[in-house]
Amino acid sequence: MPPVLTKTLFSKGDLERPEVQAFFCGDERWALEVSEWIRFSSGENSALEDMKKYGTEVWLHWKEKVELVAVSSLGESKWSWPPPKGPKKLISVIPCVGLQRLFQGEPKEAPPEDRFAAQVLDHLIYEAKAKTNREPLIGLMVDEENKRAVRFYEKAGFAHLVKPHVSQGVTYLRMALDIS
Ligand SMILES: CC(C)(COP(=O)(O)OP(=O)(O)OC[C@H]1O[C@@H](n2cnc3c(N)ncnc32)[C@H](O)[C@@H]1OP(=O)(O)O)[C@@H](O)C(=O)NCCC(=O)NCCS
């Protein structure tokens, strides 16, 4: 049986924890973004700012309560549903999620549905299901070059939506998961 991760709600005080300041998802641009997002206390790419501005919920995921494995988050947004021209509906979104490099693909011996990444996603699905004021949908945007994440979401059942989002020269694929 793989270790079951525990979670804590992220708050300002966590920024002083060495585990948070050492959080590292990898060197790729999307991985650096996630690491900085949890470590930065202000600016456009900051978990704390997203919490203040948009009410985003943010969690830390721990192995044996001491090793920081992952960060995850859930927010809300209005998306046209059904895409591309349906009325705007309030849905859950994942603004940012990431596992430390060391824990990606782990535990290798566990079936994919029990791996750490799947445990983190299960937690977000559980939280999103509890938001009864929102459509039973989870949306996200992922850098089209982030093949590993795209594959992970596809395997978890996320469907590709037609219209990608382009920002500062980067193309983000839109994906959504029906959690009804
Ligand atoms: C995205 C992320 C959460 C997925 O977690 P993970 O532990 O890596 O996921 P898994 O290993 O269970 O699954 C990834 C799948 O992609 C596959 N994969 C790995 N590298 C790949 C690549 N370069 N191209 C295509 N598929 C790839 C894996 O083989 C695996 O598929 P498999 O189960 O068929 O072997 C994690 O990689 C991560 O935190 N990345 C850095 C931050 C990030 O990109 N966050 C997402 C922002 S939207």
Side-chain angles (χ1 to χ4, degrees):
M1 188 66 191
V4 176
L5 300 180
T6 55
K7 57 184 183 282
T8 54
L9 253 182
F10 177 73
S11 65
K12 193 175 177 192
D14 287 317
L15 281 177
E16 282 160 33
R17 299 180 75 148
E19 300 94 331
V20 170
Q21 286 307 320
F23 190 82
F24 177 71
C25 287
D27 289 318
E28 304 89 350
R29 70 168 173 247
W30 47 84
L32 289 172
E33 239 174 55
V34 176
S35 310
E36 290 171 356
W37 181 78
I38 198 67
R39 293 192 336 246
F40 287 2
S41 57
S42 60
E44 269 185 29
N45 185 35
S46 154
L48 212 58
E49 284 293 312
D50 284 356
M51 289 161 69
K52 280 191 224 157
K53 274 196 207 155
Y54 310 115
T56 304
E57 294 174 282
V58 180
W59 293 271
L60 303 176
H61 299 261
W62 304 86
K63 184 178 162 215
E64 279 138 25
K65 297 193 179 162
V66 288
E67 275 187 282
L68 183 54
V69 172
V71 301
S72 71
S73 60
L74 199 66
E76 61 181 29
S77 182
K78 285 190 171 166
W79 282 26
S80 291
W81 202 265
K85 293 218 161 95
K88 293 270 183 196
K89 296 211 171 138
L90 191 66
I91 68 161
S92 289
V93 289
I94 302 177
C96 194
V97 64
L99 269 66
Q100 293 224 65
R101 172 64 102 204
L102 192 64
F103 297 104
Q104 291 170 15
E106 295 291 333
K108 283 194 183 51
E109 62 283 6
E113 63 274 16
D114 287 343
R115 287 191 201 147
F116 295 135
Q119 291 187 37
V120 171
L121 184 60
D122 283 348
H123 151 72
L124 292 175
I125 293 171
Y126 173 84
E127 292 290 336
K129 280 186 174 174
K131 314 289 184 207
T132 49
N133 61 324
R134 302 179 192 161
E135 292 297 309
L137 278 173
I138 302 182
L140 58 84
M141 289 196 271
V142 54
D143 188 323
E144 67 172 355
E145 289 180 30
N146 187 354
K147 304 287 184 218
R148 184 170 189 131
V150 172
R151 170 118 181 91
F152 172 71
Y153 295 132
E154 283 171 345
K155 288 180 74 180
F158 280 78
H160 286 272
L161 307 188
V162 189
K163 211 170 105 192
H165 171 78
V166 181
S167 170
Q168 295 177 342
V170 178
T171 302
Y172 295 88
L173 306 175
R174 284 178 203 269
M175 300 182 83
L177 180 70
D178 182 342
I179 55 167
S180 59

